[in-house]
Amino acid sequence: MLSFFCVDHETTNVGGTCDSRDEYYIKKLKPEIGMEFENEHIAYEFYNTYAGHVGFSVRKFWHDKSSTNVIRTKKFVCSKAGYKDKSSTSEPCQRKRADTRVGCTAEMTIKINAIGKYVVSSFGDAHNHELVTPSKAHLLRSQRRITEAQKAQIDILNDSGIRPKSGHEAMSRQAGGRQSLSFTRKDYKNYLRSKRMQSIQEGDTRAILQYLQDKQMENPSFFYAIQVDEDEMMTNIFWTDARSVLDYDYFGDVICFDTTYKANSYGRPFAVFVGVNHHKQTVVFGAALLYDETKATFEWLFETFKKAMSGKEPKTILTDQCAAIIGAIDIVFSTTIHRLCVWHMYQNAVKHLSHVFQGSKTFKKDFGKCVFYFEEVDEFIAAWNNMLKAYNLEDNEWLHTLFQSKEKWALVYGRQTFCADMISTQRSESLNAMLKRYLHVRLDLLDFFKHYERAVDDRRHAEVEGDFFASQTSPKVPCVRMLIQTSKEYTPAMFEIFRGEYDMVMGCSLYNSGHTESTLEFKVSNSDHPQSHRFTVKFDPNGSKVSCSCKKFEFVGVLCRHALKVLNHNNVKELAPEYILKRWTGHAKGGPSQAIQKCANDEETRVVLARRYGSLCRSYNNILSKAAESEEAYALLQSASIELMEKVDMIMHGNQSKDILPNCNQAEKQPVESTKESEVQIKGIKRRESGSSSKRKKSGLEQNSKNKPKKGILQQSNSYRYIN
């Protein structure tokens, strides 16, 4: 008997000619009657290896099984064996496949012998078709396969946003060329498609919930919430992670909220909560996929966001002019100052007043003055009325409605409101522009979540780079004490803003205006022109306190050139600490924080548990592998495991009794078990109809009265959970 042995081989010939080395391999790999194999899988691999060298593809033809389900006979044939069945009565396909079978008789048959091994009982190598040259052998169907290691690499490339074409090319170059790779670009795409289809078969709902639950298992501070309607269909999803919670604790004083970006096949609005960090970079606080843009939806979302952030409300929130958003903010964020996005307001103005913009060259300037220019409310109202009269707009309904919300958009009402130098939702818009590089409408929801995570990681890495640059460099500044002081405190981005104001001090003109018992007043203009606007600056010599009527410090957090002019005039060489906001400095993330402590505790617990679990797995894997090979060892381990489990339970119960003692400060977190009574089975994700309006038909959520609780919302720990 001949036994199968492995032979390492490589293709060295090109153009269809076989060198002596290939002939040697073919001779060694050619099946012979009586050749013996341990099982049918090894027999197939042997025959397929031979087929790859010869130039044909192998197909499993038929097999015969015994009553005990053991394969007794199995036949492997050339993929061109037999003929296509043309007697099929099925409906014709739109695209017919080309015929590939030509009745080839090449085959190898194996049969099981008395000792349970498989022996080659027949072999034929007569092909009635042209064989493939070695340079094309990698395209044969039976030669194309994706190993587990290659699948893992494909998954990494796909999760990194690399398209199949680029991913396949990268793997081909790594392997030494496409002919050296064991699969084609089509196989690459088919693998991703089959994986995606498997996820769809399991259900987008199940896949999303599993993803969210896995993220929370990685870090208990991960928060997610899901809202379902009366039919148990998923409508709204919100999620945020531990890093976002920390960022909100530091920079959540001002947030932008925007729902203009739609990038998923479900046609759902994608809502993001963003802000600005100490490097003037966009920072993400949370995100949501919504079903619609109704007031009820936004109320749920804002309540959920506030819960995720431990009840902390932002000082200021910027949104567009959506009536549903405005109404929800008034209800949920009772202490928050709501400002409207000026950019969106201008777009709406151009839309509703297009005839005025086109008919007048001065209207845009006058409208802009009403938005930005005035320091006193009386001046603003007078200018607004003059504008309406000058352009015959006294009866314009849109302007009348806009004026009713003037406190939310006119800067005269918002100068004393800290907005971190933001007058629009530009941060959300810039994030949306960045998301377009990662997200597209063809993504299923699970991929949408993963690629959104990539976009957020990019933002966070930009902050890491900013921190590195700030710690490793220092700006070149002249020998001016105030500039030296601020260059050491501010981040580079904020220092450039401050230096821009300081550089304009020499261009400002100062005039004495008067004084009271403890305060000096000055008038400062941006130029020497007598008609230029003069800002009022008040200065207290005792505490070097200064304030300007332009309110730049109150609005941005950086002193304006007018205040700096007065300080310089009064020989103040350094800023008082209260004029350097911590949120703009390099140590903005320093100091105590409840969010830090909570996330640190969760991180420590997660790391310790993962380390223990990994150590135990490594210790017991070898024991389990060996015990499985022996019935006696298996029985020994089974009995020992029962005794070991009893001892573990005793230890765990002992620790639980200790946790009850009053002196114990920290108790180990235990998962909350959900009962069947509180379980809600989500049937799926509610889809929006194609071409439907942004407002859906009222579901049970809207039809229920305000006194009734919303159905289908479950709370467990720090998430609204769905139980499989």
Side-chain angles (χ1 to χ4, degrees):
M1 292 290 183
L2 295 174
S3 297
F4 168 63
F5 55 91
C6 293
V7 179
D8 293 332
H9 61 281
E10 60 181 8
T11 302
T12 58
N13 52 352
V14 180
T17 60
C18 295
D19 59 18
S20 58
R21 189 174 184 181
D22 283 320
E23 293 176 355
Y24 171 79
Y25 282 136
I26 292 175
K27 183 177 180 181
K28 287 292 184 182
L29 293 173
K30 186 174 183 179
E32 297 180 8
I33 304 298
M35 186 176 286
E36 188 176 274
F37 303 94
E38 289 293 330
N39 54 58
E40 72 274 13
H41 301 294
I42 297 178
Y44 171 79
E45 292 298 332
F46 178 84
Y47 188 51
N48 190 44
T49 303
Y50 162 77
H53 277 81
V54 174
F56 68 96
S57 186
V58 175
R59 176 161 51 90
K60 297 176 181 178
F61 187 51
W62 66 272
H63 62 264
D64 173 45
K65 289 186 177 181
S66 66
S67 58
T68 57
N69 206 32
V70 176
I71 295 178
R72 295 182 296 192
T73 306
K74 194 163 190 174
K75 186 174 184 178
F76 309 107
V77 299
C78 174
S79 61
K80 291 183 174 293
Y83 295 94
K84 184 178 180 180
D85 185 9
K86 297 182 180 180
S87 61
S88 176
T89 57
S90 60
E91 296 181 2
C93 301
Q94 293 183 354
R95 184 178 180 182
K96 295 183 179 181
R97 294 183 178 181
D99 293 338
T100 58
R101 301 186 182 183
V102 295
C104 181
T105 59
E107 57 86 22
M108 185 183 82
T109 304
I110 57 174
K111 291 184 177 181
I112 195 169
N113 60 13
I115 60 175
K117 294 186 178 182
Y118 290 88
V119 180
V120 177
S121 60
S122 67
F123 170 71
D125 60 353
H127 297 272
N128 64 348
H129 56 88
E130 182 180 357
L131 298 176
V132 173
T133 59
S135 62
K136 303 180 183 66
H138 65 285
L139 299 175
L140 293 169
R141 187 179 184 86
S142 65
Q143 303 299 317
R144 289 154 40 193
R145 64 187 66 188
I146 304 177
T147 65
E148 292 300 322
Q150 290 170 334
K151 289 179 181 178
Q153 188 173 4
I154 292 175
D155 291 339
I156 293 174
L157 293 172
N158 184 57
D159 291 342
S160 301
I162 298 177
R163 299 295 178 89
K165 180 179 179 181
S166 301
H168 182 264
E169 182 178 354
M171 295 184 70
S172 299
R173 291 179 178 274
Q174 187 179 17
R178 296 185 181 183
Q179 70 280 0
S180 301
L181 200 62
S182 60
F183 57 90
T184 63
R185 187 192 304 172
K186 184 178 181 181
D187 298 326
Y188 190 112
K189 293 182 178 179
N190 288 341
Y191 166 72
L192 294 176
R193 186 180 297 110
S194 63
K195 185 179 179 182
R196 188 176 298 113
M197 290 303 298
Q198 182 180 0
S199 172
I200 293 174
Q201 289 173 0
E202 293 176 355
D204 275 349
T205 306
R206 185 182 182 90
I208 291 169
L209 291 169
Q210 187 62 51
Y211 170 82
L212 295 173
Q213 291 168 6
D214 289 345
K215 297 297 291 185
Q216 192 177 67
M217 288 295 292
E218 293 176 7
N219 193 325
S221 294
F222 184 89
F223 180 99
Y224 69 91
I226 295 171
Q227 188 183 42
V228 297
D229 65 4
E230 62 178 3
D231 298 320
E232 280 79 45
M233 297 291 288
M234 184 187 296
T235 56
N236 302 312
I237 311 169
F238 170 80
W239 71 100
T240 184
D241 60 10
R243 174 68 182 274
S244 293
V245 174
L246 284 177
D247 288 336
Y248 182 80
D249 193 57
Y250 293 119
F251 309 115
D253 44 6
V254 183
I255 65 174
C256 295
F257 176 75
D258 182 65
T259 62
T260 59
Y261 186 66
K262 297 178 177 66
N264 53 87
S265 59
Y266 286 78
R268 289 166 167 263
F270 175 58
V272 287
F273 296 88
V274 302
V276 59
N277 65 9
H278 51 318
H279 296 293
K280 293 285 288 183
Q281 299 168 334
T282 301
V283 57
V284 182
F285 301 134
L289 278 174
L290 307 177
Y291 178 74
D292 58 12
E293 297 180 75
T294 60
K295 182 180 177 182
T297 292
F298 290 124
E299 283 187 34
W300 173 87
L301 177 59
F302 295 150
E303 287 284 4
T304 305
F305 177 79
K306 188 163 70 170
K307 177 180 177 59
M309 304 304 168
S310 302
K312 178 182 177 181
E313 295 186 10
K315 294 180 181 178
T316 309
I317 183 171
L318 287 90
T319 71
D320 59 22
Q321 290 180 275
C322 174
I325 295 178
I326 295 173
I329 289 176
D330 291 340
I331 294 174
V332 179
F333 295 136
S334 57
T335 63
T336 299
I337 298 175
H338 183 200
R339 301 289 299 169
L340 294 178
C341 170
V342 176
W343 183 85
H344 279 102
M345 192 181 69
Y346 263 97
Q347 296 299 312
N348 291 333
V350 172
K351 177 181 177 181
H352 290 89
L353 305 173
S354 59
H355 63 289
V356 184
F357 277 94
Q358 295 175 2
S360 173
K361 296 181 179 180
T362 59
F363 177 76
K364 182 178 180 180
K365 181 179 179 180
D366 292 340
F367 185 76
K369 282 184 177 181
C370 292
V371 176
F372 300 107
Y373 188 72
F374 298 102
E375 299 175 20
E376 301 296 334
V377 174
D378 294 340
E379 295 178 354
F380 161 74
I381 294 177
W384 179 268
N385 291 329
N386 291 335
M387 180 189 71
L388 297 181
K389 185 177 180 180
Y391 299 99
N392 297 320
L393 296 172
E394 293 96 332
D395 299 328
N396 187 276
E397 184 177 351
W398 183 81
L399 284 174
H400 177 70
T401 303
L402 182 66
F403 186 76
Q404 291 178 343
S405 61
K406 57 185 178 299
E407 292 83 2
K408 297 182 184 297
W409 54 264
L411 196 58
V412 66
Y413 294 99
R415 290 185 182 277
Q416 297 191 31
T417 301
F418 181 71
C419 291
D421 201 19
M422 292 186 288
I423 60 174
S424 70
T425 56
Q426 57 184 349
R427 294 286 168 180
S428 299
E429 299 292 341
S430 63
L431 179 65
N432 290 342
M434 184 190 69
L435 286 173
K436 290 180 181 179
R437 302 202 304 264
Y438 301 93
L439 308 175
H440 53 81
V441 295
R442 296 188 301 275
L443 290 176
D444 56 53
L445 282 183
L446 184 58
D447 281 342
F448 183 91
F449 276 80
K450 292 181 179 179
H451 288 289
Y452 163 79
E453 187 178 345
R454 291 177 50 229
V456 174
D457 285 342
D458 265 9
R459 292 290 84 210
R460 291 172 178 172
H461 184 68
E463 181 178 320
V464 172
E465 291 179 333
D467 289 338
F468 175 81
F469 180 79
S471 65
Q472 299 298 314
T473 61
S474 56
K476 292 183 178 180
V477 295
C479 190
V480 178
R481 287 171 58 185
M482 188 174 292
L483 289 179
I484 295 174
Q485 174 200 14
T486 52
S487 67
K488 294 178 180 179
E489 294 289 335
Y490 285 131
T491 61
M494 290 307 302
F495 175 70
E496 289 303 318
I497 294 176
F498 176 81
R499 181 155 64 175
E501 291 294 321
Y502 190 88
D503 290 343
M504 297 299 295
V505 168
M506 297 303 296
C508 294
S509 299
L510 183 142
Y511 308 91
N512 289 323
S513 178
H515 63 86
T516 62
E517 293 181 358
S518 60
T519 305
L520 301 177
E521 287 190 6
F522 300 88
K523 293 291 185 179
V524 181
S525 64
N526 292 328
S527 67
D528 294 330
H529 196 280
Q531 299 298 326
S532 62
H533 180 76
R534 296 183 179 184
F535 298 90
T536 302
V537 181
K538 296 180 179 181
F539 174 70
D540 182 2
N542 296 325
S544 298
K545 294 183 179 180
V546 64
S547 64
C548 180
S549 59
C550 76
K551 303 298 182 182
K552 185 180 181 69
F553 178 76
E554 289 80 359
F555 189 80
V556 179
V558 174
L559 278 180
C560 62
R561 63 196 68 173
H562 320 116
L564 294 175
K565 180 72 174 181
V566 171
L567 292 178
N568 183 66
H569 176 75
N570 288 276
N571 203 30
V572 177
K573 302 302 181 181
E574 290 188 355
L575 294 181
E578 59 263 33
Y579 295 120
I580 301 179
L581 297 187
K582 181 181 177 182
R583 78 162 341 270
W584 294 133
T585 65
H587 52 275
K589 289 191 170 184
S593 169
Q594 293 181 354
I596 293 177
Q597 187 62 38
K598 180 179 183 300
C599 292
N601 291 339
D602 290 339
E603 178 74 11
E604 182 180 358
T605 301
R606 180 176 64 88
V607 171
V608 170
L609 291 177
R611 188 183 299 117
R612 290 175 183 170
Y613 180 78
S615 178
L616 290 173
C617 286
R618 288 190 296 271
S619 300
Y620 284 95
N621 269 339
N622 292 334
I623 300 176
L624 298 176
S625 299
K626 293 182 179 180
E629 298 175 359
S630 169
E631 186 174 350
E632 183 179 355
Y634 171 77
L636 173 65
L637 198 60
Q638 281 281 35
S639 60
S641 64
I642 297 174
E643 181 181 355
L644 188 61
M645 181 59 71
E646 292 177 352
K647 293 182 179 180
V648 171
D649 287 338
M650 291 177 62
I651 295 174
M652 296 301 295
H653 289 149
N655 288 341
Q656 289 176 3
S657 63
K658 293 178 182 179
D659 291 340
I660 302 175
L661 296 177
N663 293 333
C664 182
N665 295 324
Q666 293 183 351
E668 184 175 356
K669 297 179 181 179
Q670 298 293 337
V672 180
E673 297 293 337
S674 296
T675 60
K676 288 291 182 180
E677 288 76 8
S678 65
E679 181 175 329
V680 172
Q681 291 292 338
I682 299 178
K683 294 180 179 179
I685 301 175
K686 194 163 188 175
R687 289 181 176 268
R688 293 180 55 79
E689 296 294 335
S690 176
S692 62
S693 64
S694 61
K695 293 186 177 181
R696 61 176 175 179
K697 296 180 180 179
K698 286 189 176 182
S699 67
L701 290 174
E702 287 81 27
Q703 292 172 358
N704 289 340
S705 64
K706 293 184 178 180
N707 296 329
K708 293 182 180 180
K710 293 183 179 180
K711 182 179 180 181
I713 302 179
L714 298 180
Q715 181 181 359
Q716 176 182 351
S717 181
N718 59 339
S719 64
Y720 292 97
R721 293 291 299 273
Y722 159 80
I723 311 299
N724 289 329

